[in-house]
Amino acid sequence: MADVRAPRLGARTAAGRGLQLHPGAWWLWALSLGTAATRTTNPLLLALLVAVSTYVVATCRPDTPWARSYTAFVKLALAVLLIRLFFAVALGSPIPGTHVLVTLPEVPLPHWAQGIRLGGEVTAEALVFALYDGLKLATLLICVGAANALANPARLLKSLPGALYEIGVAVVVALTFAPNLIADVQRLRAARRLRGRPDKGVRGLLQVGLPVLEGALERSVSLAAAMDARGYGRTADVPAPVRRTTAALTLGGLLGVCAGTYGLLTAEGGTYGLPLLLAGLAAALGGLRLGGRRSIRTRYRPDRWGLRAWLVAGSGAAVAALLALAASADPDALHPGVVPLVAPTLPLWPAAAVLLGLLPAFIAPTPTPASAPEEPS
């Protein structure tokens, strides 16, 4: 008889990892959708962006703890929208209006608080303007929540460039230690309750906190010894001109990104904003590339940026680019009027451009249930 053996668990897990999408592709896709949301205040387009991100998350979300964060981001977005509406009602709005919905009692304020009022007339124009403004920010938060739900944070930090290696390791260690601290607190409080000792109040907090702090320090010392034994923190000898060039490119690139972003957000800087932003990104990436020469390390099972990752990131970039083009070509369709009030309409080709964001739902790998830890090879 032929000897039929089941594949090792580690081999199955490695194969599943190879089918997973690069976490950076999910972040680029989600941030592109968020960028598209900043180019419009049309509630129909914003609702379509939310529907696209929700459908992709429902289709591609893995069965992992961080994937459940999407609901929290949706609740946060709804809270932001309600707070924006509350401020528009309580503090008034600079938007003039003629359709008065309700008149609240107005609180008199001193002369140095001119421009601010408490109460007064609440107009439909002010409420609609606040709704559009809050919905844009809520859509941006939901898009960021989609990235958190789809991308593995540990794999994303592992994929950082070599120049940011130390930062990535520090964040990974922090993410690993935080659950351990919570588990220690719960374990010690349960042990004190079983012994009939108080676990609440200042006395209970001190008697639980000190053992937790001691355990955290012991883990820190053990981790530091293990990292030192593996060569963490050792750098290569890089010539001084390369170091100066790296610093100049990184600093200049970040300044260019800030100036370009400011230009894109203002009406006067629309001509120079995008070229300056692209030049700053190129310079910053070049600086990170050169800075990676100082890091002597290898990656264990690195994530590959394949064709699917390019398609996912490209679909999000296409949505952002087409919405930016539509905002400059037909601003009235993407920014419905508030004074006077007009009903928003759904522009056809910008809506079709938003639907390009659904591409990851059809090309991304099918999520698999969380598997058991790998066996040592």
Side-chain angles (χ1 to χ4, degrees):
M1 280 182 72
D3 185 12
V4 180
R5 297 182 181 179
R8 291 192 314 161
L9 178 60
R12 293 198 303 270
T13 308
R17 184 185 291 108
L19 293 176
Q20 292 179 356
L21 201 66
H22 195 287
W26 285 124
W27 272 99
L28 289 176
W29 170 82
L31 292 178
S32 298
L33 292 187
T35 303
T38 62
R39 311 308 298 176
T40 179
T41 56
N42 190 319
L44 301 179
L45 286 177
L46 293 174
L48 189 58
L49 283 169
V50 172
V52 166
S53 65
T54 302
Y55 181 79
V56 173
V57 169
T59 306
C60 305
R61 179 171 57 178
D63 185 15
T64 51
W66 67 82
R68 305 184 186 98
S69 63
Y70 187 71
T71 305
F73 275 90
V74 172
K75 293 179 181 178
L76 177 61
L78 292 176
V80 167
L81 182 59
L82 294 177
I83 291 173
R84 182 66 179 88
L85 291 174
F86 171 77
F87 280 137
V89 172
L91 303 179
S93 174
I95 302 299
T98 57
H99 299 79
V100 179
L101 299 177
V102 65
T103 302
L104 300 176
E106 188 169 354
V107 179
L109 297 176
H111 67 280
W112 50 265
Q114 291 183 359
I116 303 175
R117 67 174 177 85
L118 294 177
E121 294 182 347
V122 179
T123 62
E125 289 84 354
L127 277 182
V128 171
F129 176 78
L131 176 65
Y132 289 174
D133 194 39
L135 188 58
K136 180 169 66 173
L137 181 56
T139 305
L140 180 59
L141 289 173
I142 289 175
C143 292
V144 174
N148 280 275
L150 294 169
N152 187 331
R155 290 175 56 218
L156 179 65
L157 292 170
K158 190 179 70 172
S159 303
L160 287 175
L164 304 177
Y165 169 61
E166 288 82 2
I167 298 176
V169 172
V171 175
V172 169
V173 170
L175 291 175
T176 305
F177 269 49
N180 291 333
L181 290 178
I182 296 175
D184 286 348
V185 171
Q186 294 176 347
R187 177 175 53 83
L188 289 172
R189 291 184 62 184
R192 291 184 61 83
R193 285 195 298 268
L194 290 174
R195 292 180 175 90
R197 299 177 182 177
D199 62 323
K200 298 180 181 179
V202 178
R203 181 181 177 184
L205 179 63
L206 291 176
Q207 294 183 353
V208 169
L210 289 178
V212 170
L213 179 61
E214 181 182 359
L217 291 175
E218 290 179 357
R219 281 196 300 270
S220 300
V221 172
S222 301
L223 178 62
M227 294 172 69
D228 182 67
R230 289 166 173 81
Y232 173 76
R234 300 174 187 175
T235 58
D237 187 14
V238 179
V242 176
R243 292 199 301 268
R244 288 192 290 267
T245 304
T246 301
L249 285 175
T250 305
L251 182 60
L254 293 178
L255 291 176
V257 169
C258 294
T261 304
Y262 176 79
L264 289 177
L265 295 177
T266 57
E268 296 80 5
T271 55
Y272 68 85
L274 183 59
L276 193 57
L277 177 62
L278 295 177
L281 285 175
L285 291 176
L288 291 176
R289 180 76 175 180
L290 288 177
R293 294 184 178 183
R294 298 182 66 249
S295 177
I296 306 175
R297 68 188 183 105
T298 58
R299 282 195 178 99
Y300 178 65
R301 290 177 178 171
D303 291 311
R304 304 296 181 185
W305 190 281
L307 178 61
R308 289 179 175 179
W310 281 113
L311 291 175
V312 168
S315 65
V319 173
L322 292 175
L323 261 292
L325 180 62
S328 59
D330 191 5
D332 294 335
L334 269 70
H335 299 278
V338 178
V339 181
L341 278 174
V342 295
T345 58
L346 182 64
L348 293 181
W349 77 266
V354 172
L355 293 179
L356 291 176
L358 290 172
L359 185 62
F362 303 99
I363 65 173
T366 304
T368 56
S371 58
E374 297 183 17
E375 295 179 350
S377 301

